[in-house]
């Protein structure tokens, strides 16, 4: 066996013994982080749906919990306010016994502005709340895969979307 073949064999052995298991463990960590963030997001939104408001403490606890994964996240909250409009005949003005139902959306900035002022953000029964959580930093697995594949991969590896209708409202 010539020296070049020995070097190639040693490199392949190092890759198989060290780098592949390291990549596997890093990918498993991403799966665990995805599951953890998904569970915490579900708990947060279900809590909002059940009590009908978002408090600063609820939001900060959620952010603190997902930060435990050592990744940075972009959080997008959307509150769809249910609007019900009765329909009237344009010529007679008589009620047509029908309604238009639509949602007016309030976004993260509106919600956080209310929370930062020290007030709870209140939602009404029938409103819709949704959240999207996306990592904005590269995970260790992404960095290793970029090194291994010599290509640029997207940062977003942990993506969670959840939402639902408000069942109860704050008195």
């Amino acid at each position: 066996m010539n020296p070049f073949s020995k070097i190639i064999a040693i490199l392949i052995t190092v890759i198989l013994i060290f780098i592949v298991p390291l990549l596997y463990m890093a990918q498993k960590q991403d799966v665990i982080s995805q599951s953890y963030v998904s569970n915490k997001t579900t708990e947060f939104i279900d809590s909002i749906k059940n009590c009908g408001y978002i408090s600063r403490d609820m939001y900060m606890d959620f952010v603190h919990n997902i930060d435990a994964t050592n990744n940075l996240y972009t959080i997008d909250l959307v509150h769809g306010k249910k609007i019900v409009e009765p329909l009237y005949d344009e010529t007679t003005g008589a009620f047509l016994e029908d309604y238009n139902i639509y949602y007016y959306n309030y976004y993260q900035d509106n919600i956080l502005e209310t929370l930062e002022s020290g007030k709870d953000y209140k939602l009404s029964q029938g409103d819709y709340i949704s959240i999207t959580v996306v990592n904005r930093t590269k995970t260790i697995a992404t960095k290793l895969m970029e090194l291994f594949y010599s290509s640029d991969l997207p940062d977003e590896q942990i993506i969670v979307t959840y939402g639902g209708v408000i069942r109860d409202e704050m008195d």
Side-chain angles (χ1 to χ4, degrees):
M1 190 177 228
N2 65 21
F4 182 70
S5 299
K6 288 180 183 180
I7 292 173
I8 296 297
I10 290 171
L11 284 175
I12 290 173
T13 303
V14 166
I15 289 173
L16 291 175
I17 290 176
F18 296 110
I19 296 177
V20 171
L22 185 63
L23 181 60
Y24 177 76
M25 288 179 358
Q27 288 174 331
K28 285 301 248 183
Q29 182 62 39
D30 279 3
V31 170
I32 291 168
S33 293
Q34 170 82 26
S35 178
Y36 180 79
V37 170
S38 179
N39 287 338
K40 292 300 175 185
T41 302
T42 301
E43 286 175 16
F44 176 60
I45 294 298
D46 285 347
S47 175
I48 295 168
K49 291 184 335 187
N50 289 331
C51 58
Y53 69 92
I54 305 169
S55 70
R56 179 169 164 61
D57 290 339
M58 288 167 65
Y59 184 77
M60 294 309 291
D61 286 345
F62 170 68
V63 171
H64 178 72
N65 283 330
I66 66 171
D67 280 347
T69 63
N70 291 325
N71 292 312
L72 296 177
Y73 295 93
T74 300
I75 301 170
D76 291 319
L77 269 173
V78 178
H79 165 215
K81 176 81 175 149
K82 185 177 182 180
I83 307 293
V84 179
E85 279 186 351
L87 293 177
Y88 295 97
D89 188 334
E90 290 181 19
T91 56
T92 64
F95 178 56
L96 298 175
E97 297 187 28
D98 197 12
Y99 300 92
N100 272 341
I101 299 174
Y102 61 93
Y103 289 87
Y104 183 81
N105 288 337
Y106 295 92
Y107 296 95
Q108 175 109 0
D109 294 339
N110 303 106
I111 297 169
L112 291 181
E113 185 178 306
T114 302
L115 296 178
E116 288 172 2
S117 70
K119 300 176 188 171
D120 291 343
Y121 186 83
K122 296 177 176 114
L123 300 98
S124 300
Q125 192 171 9
D127 288 358
Y128 190 83
I129 186 79
S130 67
I131 191 169
T132 302
V133 180
V134 180
N135 71 304
R136 58 184 166 141
T137 54
K138 291 184 190 272
T139 63
I140 293 172
T142 304
K143 291 176 184 176
L144 286 173
M145 285 190 296
E146 284 181 343
L147 181 69
F148 194 67
Y149 298 136
S150 298
S151 66
D152 194 27
L153 297 173
D155 294 349
E156 300 84 9
Q157 297 296 319
I158 301 170
I159 302 169
V160 177
T161 301
Y162 189 67
V165 176
I166 305 303
R167 293 185 279 261
D168 201 1
E169 58 185 82
M170 187 175 168
D171 293 323

